[in-house]
Amino acid sequence: MRFGALEAGGTKMVCAVGTENGRILERISIPTETPEITMPKLLQYFQDNEINALGVGCFGPVDLDPKSKTYGHILMTSKLAWRGYDICGCFRENLKIPIGFDTDVNGSMLGESTWGCAKGLDTALYMTVGTGVGVGIMAGGKLVHGMQHPEAGHMLIPARKDDSYKGKCPSHGHCLEGLAAGPAVEERWQAKGEALAGRQEVWELEAYYLAYAIANYILILSPQKIILGGGVMHQQQLYPMVREKVREMLGGYLQTKELEDMDSYIVAPSLNDDQGILGALKLGMNALEEKG
Ligand code: ADP
Ligand code: ZN
């Protein structure tokens, strides 16, 4: 069987066709413009490819409540042309195949738990630190939705005493995203993250905020693994710094075999940047199975 996969992002739409064993047969990337311009191109691609089901991992927030009238719509996004858009309905009506739908970060979490480093684990967390901070959560073998979906990238965090930066989140000022996403790093230090590699103090503070949130995620969720991806995590030195600070912040209170081996507990994504598209593929497979 052939499954369609769409990683819907604010700047580009990655479309792919793959098989149930996670092999990507082909893919294209289409710039994200308005729904009127972009959707016909996506529909054409998936119609031409004769797929049995489609999975969509979408930038958010999105409505994931199957009982809601606006299930499958994009909600209060800053990408105004897409605000309120019924992306799932458009695919369903035009393609007439099962459509799986979730957030982009839940998609990445699902990719890693199906074919990557979280395989066989029932509770894990995927965080991307890029233009924003997004968190996908798998708990007890299921992607967590609840009312809508977790927004743990906006976890409320006090600024460190020596950090006078006001924070960049329009809703919270300093939440994790407001303090630690790429644009916050850039505004605080007046240079893009890419250009700050040699500045120890930049990454020491970044690791502090990431660890602050991660320690809280660990206390709430008890995840068996934490995966950190996104552009900012290209600063590889962050991984050991985050691990060390998480250990300090937890203060020896939790004693588990996972926490004893921090190098395999807090890790980089394992699927060569295909975790998102592979997760979307699996969302399509799951949608077909539910229909059948
Ligand atoms: P998006 O979140 O839009 O999908 P990315 O995950 O690539 O995209 O994140 C983009 C952000 O990551 C930008 O703010 C950029 O400055 C930052 N970034 C990208 N590469 C690096 C790097 N090597 N070091 C630090 N920051 C980076
Ligand atoms: Zn926020």
Side-chain angles (χ1 to χ4, degrees):
M1 274 205 258
R2 291 159 62 86
F3 295 91
L6 169 64
E7 212 183 348
T11 51
K12 64 180 196 295
M13 299 281 184
V14 179
C15 310
V17 176
T19 63
E20 55 265 48
N21 49 18
R23 197 156 62 87
I24 301 291
L25 302 172
E26 62 156 290
R27 82 176 79 199
I28 59 164
S29 174
I30 292 169
T32 305
E33 296 175 74
T34 62
E36 292 72 28
I37 297 173
T38 307
M39 288 305 292
K41 297 180 186 168
L42 301 179
L43 291 170
Q44 189 69 54
Y45 177 78
F46 290 119
Q47 272 156 353
D48 290 348
N49 270 291
E50 293 179 5
I51 50 175
N52 298 86
L54 170 67
V56 181
C58 189
F59 66 86
V62 292
D63 188 344
L64 297 177
D65 175 4
K67 293 198 197 80
S68 161
K69 278 201 284 262
T70 53
Y71 170 78
H73 292 221
I74 299 173
L75 303 174
M76 277 300 289
T77 172
S78 55
K79 292 139 198 127
L80 293 179
W82 294 84
R83 192 178 281 184
Y85 185 69
D86 182 10
I87 185 167
C88 200
C90 179
F91 284 124
R92 205 173 33 237
E93 279 155 32
N94 287 283
L95 300 177
K96 301 190 168 48
I97 52 174
I99 310 290
F101 187 62
D102 215 312
T103 62
D104 46 6
V105 276
N106 266 348
S108 294
M109 178 69 258
L110 184 61
E112 289 288 352
S113 62
T114 310
W115 289 294
C117 65
K119 198 170 169 180
L121 306 179
D122 67 28
T123 300
L125 182 145
Y126 183 98
M127 171 154 87
T128 175
V129 190
T131 308
V133 178
V135 176
I137 298 174
M138 169 84 73
K142 287 195 164 158
L143 295 171
V144 175
H145 295 157
M147 299 186 284
Q148 178 177 306
H149 46 78
E151 282 284 2
H154 289 266
M155 176 169 268
L156 305 179
I157 290 188
R160 201 169 73 175
K161 286 196 176 58
D162 59 344
D163 182 18
S164 58
Y165 177 57
K166 65 187 187 313
K168 206 169 173 58
C169 176
S171 307
H172 314 116
H174 41 73
C175 61
L176 179 62
E177 177 171 303
L179 288 166
V185 171
E186 182 176 348
E187 190 170 75
R188 181 192 287 107
W189 302 100
Q190 295 293 303
K192 280 198 174 299
E194 295 88 320
L196 294 165
R199 296 271 300 275
Q200 171 76 10
E201 71 276 26
V202 171
W203 308 110
E204 197 273 325
L205 184 64
E206 182 71 6
Y208 171 84
Y209 287 128
L210 296 177
Y212 198 109
I214 290 168
N216 282 307
Y217 302 153
I218 293 171
L219 293 165
I220 292 170
L221 183 68
S222 197
Q224 294 149 320
K225 195 173 285 281
I226 292 176
I227 305 162
L228 305 181
V232 173
M233 294 308 299
H234 289 152
Q235 298 292 328
Q236 295 288 325
Q237 70 272 30
L238 277 171
Y239 289 94
M241 292 166 100
V242 168
R243 291 180 190 120
E244 190 46 42
K245 287 185 195 295
V246 167
R247 194 197 312 278
E248 275 170 31
M249 287 177 191
L250 290 175
Y253 179 67
L254 297 173
Q255 310 229 327
T256 67
K257 64 177 184 341
E258 289 86 353
L259 288 170
E260 267 166 34
D261 184 8
M262 273 284 181
D263 289 356
S264 30
Y265 183 60
I266 297 178
V267 297
S270 68
L271 294 168
N272 290 322
D273 267 345
D274 277 351
Q275 59 277 9
I277 201 73
L278 285 170
L281 185 78
K282 178 69 168 147
L283 287 171
M285 289 164 55
N286 291 352
L288 185 68
E289 200 174 296
E290 278 162 28
K291 283 269 158 156

